Amino acid sequence: MRPSVGGALAALLVLAGSPHAMAATGGSATTRVTYVSGGSVYLEAGRDQGVAAGDTAEARRNGQRIAGLLVREVTSRRAVCDTFATAAMPRIGDEARYRPHAKTTVVAERAAPDSGRAGRAASAGNAPARRRHARTWRGRVSLGYLGVDSDAGSRMRQPTLDLRLDRIGSALNLHADVRGRSTSLDQSTERQARVYRLAATWHDALSQRRLTVGRQVLSAAPGAAFFDGVVGEIDRGAWTLALFGGGEPEASTFEPSFAQTQAGGFARLRRGHAGRVWSATLGVLAARYRGETDRNAAFLDLFHVAPNRSIFFNQQIDANPSWKRALGDPAVSATSTFLFARQRVGPTVALQAGFDNRRSIRLARDRETAETAFDDRYRQGGWSGATWDPTPWLRLDGSGRWLSGVTAASRAYTGVLLLRTPRRHELALRLRATRTLGATDGRLEVVEGEWRFAGDRRLLIRAGREAFNDANGLTTTRSDWQGVELESGLGARIYGYASGEVRRGDSERSLQSQFGLSWFF
């Protein structure tokens, strides 16, 4: 029996009848993502720009929404956000859209100390007057469901339960991120419960000295970003010194393991003035596997944001041990490079370029579309492009990529047209076309219609197709999809979404349905 979208559409209609969460004074405003640390996203807008703790926003790339944002902490010119309903993790330079509030009188509130490189600048400050008392506990509970039905007979069901919890205290902070899921595929069922973060941080009153113990994410050291261990930091604002050490969890089960151990340290300098921020981090990492040298590396992070410019650069350099040299590796090699740069040229034009040869990255997303899967295949390589915004209702994006890694394509070209009405009830139309060239040529075409209404409700209808040709020009694979998606606030601290998508391939047709509900506290 062929799958039907009736169930998904019914859920969307029920969700659309819910009240919205956020009141605002008028149309939307835009800012930029200035930093990303773990699941936290930092924005270059704060209380002076009409942002308030508890507000919702969204991160966008090339005119497409990639993640929802919930403002957790706010200062006069910065905001720290959690992500939800994530199709792609935001990165530095991405656009963020929000609805600004009128300015209000504020009262002082103790800020949450943050161990990230932008933490002291982004987390300190006052909170809106409607939050009269600092909340010790903050968190999110999320329920989700994913179902995939194929007319070939296969069937997958996956309910999920996620918990994120943070305790912000005067001397002790506690952090937890636990995710569970049950996957039923045809006649088999697999259950997983994974701990992504479970740590305690002791700190002084100004958070200048910190000691964190447990499972944690250390974004300053890419090679040790996810580990069980200890991090000690001395942070004086303009500079930070840190030492770390611990074991890497088992990749398949996330169970604690000290077969692979790692230790190192880093030093960071940062400055900020008149809307311009820069920082530089230099560190070293030594990894051992059952006592034998596995990796000795140095890493460098450079970060700069100005009103019309943003740059992020990360480089890892390995001093290869003898057993790697015996396999043909050089004594010293640049093993991982990431570069992103964006420069605005005048009021309507922005140029961007970058390079990415990282072999693997940790993708933090709640759902995947055919478009994000296509982009993941062509992530490695370099790119450059331009954005033109001649009017508030029109945007044109163009980019070219030269590709590396395992893909059979060598080049890719993308054009995006975005039409939108800059009003409270926004309508938008996005058209995208991508062509890949090489041993296997391919193309991707997407059309999306979006309606934002009643505050924070959003309805999206999308359709697309992709095809790949071999060297003789014969079509080898072809697929198309049509989907509908709805997001809405359900009261002040509850968010819900529902989506349905039909995919058709050369020999199979499937329906993917997804629902989610999150409570923020």
Side-chain angles (χ1 to χ4, degrees):
M1 182 178 67
R2 290 188 173 183
S4 169
V5 298
L9 291 176
L12 292 173
L13 292 174
V14 171
L15 188 60
S18 304
H20 60 86
M22 185 177 68
T25 60
S28 62
T30 62
T31 184
R32 290 286 169 185
V33 175
T34 61
Y35 180 63
V36 178
S37 174
S40 297
V41 176
Y42 295 79
L43 304 182
E44 195 178 24
R47 192 167 50 250
D48 291 349
Q49 291 74 39
V51 180
D55 283 353
T56 56
E58 63 179 30
R60 303 180 73 90
R61 185 180 303 152
N62 297 326
Q64 180 189 23
R65 181 198 180 282
I66 59 172
L69 303 175
L70 178 77
V71 180
R72 187 174 77 239
E73 301 287 343
V74 65
T75 70
S76 59
R77 300 179 63 179
R78 296 288 186 272
V80 188
C81 306
D82 289 330
T83 58
F84 60 91
T86 306
M89 191 63 186
R91 64 191 183 203
I92 294 172
D94 283 342
E95 181 183 83
R97 301 184 68 186
Y98 66 97
R99 292 185 180 273
H101 294 265
K103 291 185 179 180
T104 59
T105 305
V106 298
V107 294
E109 178 190 34
R110 183 179 65 247
D114 193 293
S115 59
R117 81 184 94 181
R120 288 174 57 80
S123 296
N126 298 330
R130 59 188 178 90
R131 295 177 60 200
R132 298 183 182 277
H133 301 285
R135 290 185 293 120
T136 301
W137 293 93
R138 295 184 177 91
R140 179 185 73 186
V141 178
S142 298
L143 298 173
Y145 174 84
L146 171 64
V148 180
D149 294 274
S150 169
D151 60 4
S154 64
R155 177 178 178 180
M156 191 268 281
R157 298 288 183 268
Q158 187 182 81
T160 61
L161 174 62
D162 300 342
L163 170 65
R164 177 168 178 171
L165 189 63
D166 297 284
R167 179 194 183 276
I168 308 302
S170 59
L172 175 65
N173 298 346
L174 300 175
H175 308 281
D177 186 352
V178 182
R179 309 175 195 182
R181 68 183 185 185
S182 175
T183 304
S184 298
L185 181 61
D186 297 330
Q187 303 300 320
S188 63
T189 300
E190 179 186 11
R191 294 180 174 85
Q192 292 181 340
R194 293 184 170 180
V195 178
Y196 284 79
R197 192 181 188 191
L198 187 62
T201 300
W202 288 268
H203 58 86
D204 60 13
L206 298 178
S207 193
Q208 292 183 340
R209 292 175 294 177
R210 299 186 292 267
L211 180 67
T212 302
V213 180
R215 179 162 296 180
Q216 55 194 293
V217 176
L218 183 62
S219 58
F226 182 59
F227 74 111
D228 298 319
V230 180
V231 179
E233 297 173 275
I234 299 177
D235 186 352
R236 295 303 174 90
W239 58 266
T240 300
L241 296 176
L243 296 174
F244 59 87
E248 183 177 340
E250 289 288 345
S252 58
T253 63
F254 277 38
E255 293 182 357
S257 172
F258 288 88
Q260 173 99 19
T261 59
Q262 46 199 354
F266 64 87
R268 178 189 303 129
L269 297 175
R270 53 178 170 257
R271 295 289 187 274
H273 177 68
R276 290 171 170 81
V277 179
W278 71 265
S279 73
T281 303
L282 179 64
V284 293
L285 168 71
R288 302 288 186 269
Y289 181 74
R290 301 191 185 279
E292 298 294 330
T293 300
D294 182 61
R295 185 185 187 199
N296 293 316
F299 54 89
L300 173 67
D301 273 0
L302 300 176
F303 165 74
H304 171 66
V305 172
N308 294 317
R309 180 173 55 255
S310 57
I311 301 172
F312 177 71
F313 174 73
N314 171 259
Q315 179 67 66
Q316 299 179 43
I317 299 175
D318 277 49
N320 292 311
S322 58
W323 67 269
K324 287 188 177 181
R325 297 197 299 270
L327 296 175
D329 289 344
V332 179
S333 58
T335 53
S336 178
T337 305
F338 180 80
L339 169 67
F340 172 82
R342 177 185 175 90
Q343 175 67 55
R344 181 162 290 279
V345 182
T348 63
V349 177
L351 306 177
Q352 52 265 344
F355 179 80
D356 185 0
N357 72 350
R358 296 171 296 175
R359 286 172 290 186
S360 63
I361 58 176
R362 193 179 301 277
L363 295 174
R365 60 172 51 139
D366 301 312
R367 44 185 155 162
E368 183 176 278
T369 66
E371 186 175 0
T372 59
F374 182 93
D375 290 336
D376 288 344
R377 287 198 295 269
Y378 304 112
R379 174 183 59 82
Q380 291 184 313
W383 71 90
S384 62
T387 300
W388 180 40
D389 293 280
T391 70
W393 55 268
L394 173 63
R395 168 180 288 181
L396 295 173
D397 287 285
S399 64
R401 305 179 72 97
W402 64 95
L403 306 173
S404 60
V406 298
T407 175
S410 59
R411 304 181 306 280
Y413 303 95
T414 298
V416 178
L417 168 66
L418 177 65
L419 299 171
R420 61 193 176 202
T421 59
R423 300 176 180 175
R424 182 178 180 86
H425 298 282
E426 296 182 11
L427 295 172
L429 175 67
R430 187 177 73 96
L431 306 175
R432 171 186 171 172
T434 296
R435 179 71 186 273
T436 64
L437 303 174
T440 300
D441 294 347
R443 68 179 185 271
L444 172 76
E445 296 160 352
V446 178
V447 57
E448 284 186 348
E450 181 182 24
W451 179 30
R452 299 179 61 90
F453 61 101
D456 61 353
R457 298 180 194 173
R458 172 179 172 271
L459 176 66
L460 177 72
I461 300 175
R462 69 161 63 92
R465 62 183 181 181
E466 63 179 356
F468 297 93
N469 304 325
D470 61 18
N472 298 319
L474 301 176
T475 300
T476 56
T477 60
R478 178 187 292 117
S479 63
D480 63 79
W481 60 91
Q482 299 82 40
V484 59
E485 185 176 306
L486 179 67
E487 301 174 1
S488 177
L490 307 171
R493 296 189 177 274
I494 300 178
Y495 161 85
Y497 70 87
S499 66
E501 184 174 271
V502 175
R503 300 187 186 185
R504 299 176 182 86
D506 292 329
S507 59
E508 188 176 354
R509 180 175 182 264
S510 64
L511 167 66
Q512 176 177 295
S513 303
Q514 192 162 11
F515 311 97
L517 192 67
S518 296
W519 172 47
F520 298 89
F521 59 90

